[in-house]
Amino acid sequence: LRKSCVDLFVEKKTPTAHKKEAKVFVIDGPYAWSRNPMYLSMLGTLGSFGLLMNSWWGIATVIPFGAYVHFLVIPPEERYLAKRFETFEAYAKKTPKWILWRR
């Protein structure tokens, strides 16, 4: 999932880094069904690694990391995208933040 997201950004010639200006608003590929597939892949990898290592601690780290991303990382990113791209609000209304719920 993460690789397909990064490949899409490379194809569209827009940076993935937080401090760089977004050039293109990517809404296809994995972004058609989730606004945050890169973070989703990070959480999935973290949880999967915990399962692979048979460690409940590894699995338990998904909760605080997910909360951090959900409440402290995504809101400023979405404010930036709303200011930068006119179409963001319509996209946000039709595409869930994660997978199962809208906002």
Side-chain angles (χ1 to χ4, degrees), residues 12 14 22-28 81 85 87-89 91-92:
K12 304 277 186 181
T14 194
K23 294 177 172 63
V24 178
F25 184 43
V26 179
I27 60 170
D28 49 345
L81 291 171
F85 301 103
T87 57
F88 179 76
E89 288 301 322
Y91 168 73

Side-chain angles (χ1 to χ4, degrees), residues 5-47:
C5 293
V6 172
D7 289 348
L8 195 56
F9 272 62
V10 169
E11 177 186 312
K12 304 277 186 181
K13 296 182 171 94
T14 194
T16 57
H18 286 263
K19 301 296 181 186
K20 303 222 176 183
E21 182 179 340
K23 294 177 172 63
V24 178
F25 184 43
V26 179
I27 60 170
D28 49 345
Y31 291 91
W33 49 267
S34 172
R35 294 197 314 259
N36 299 288
M38 282 197 210
Y39 295 133
L40 193 58
S41 72
M42 288 179 198
L43 290 168
T45 301
L46 189 59

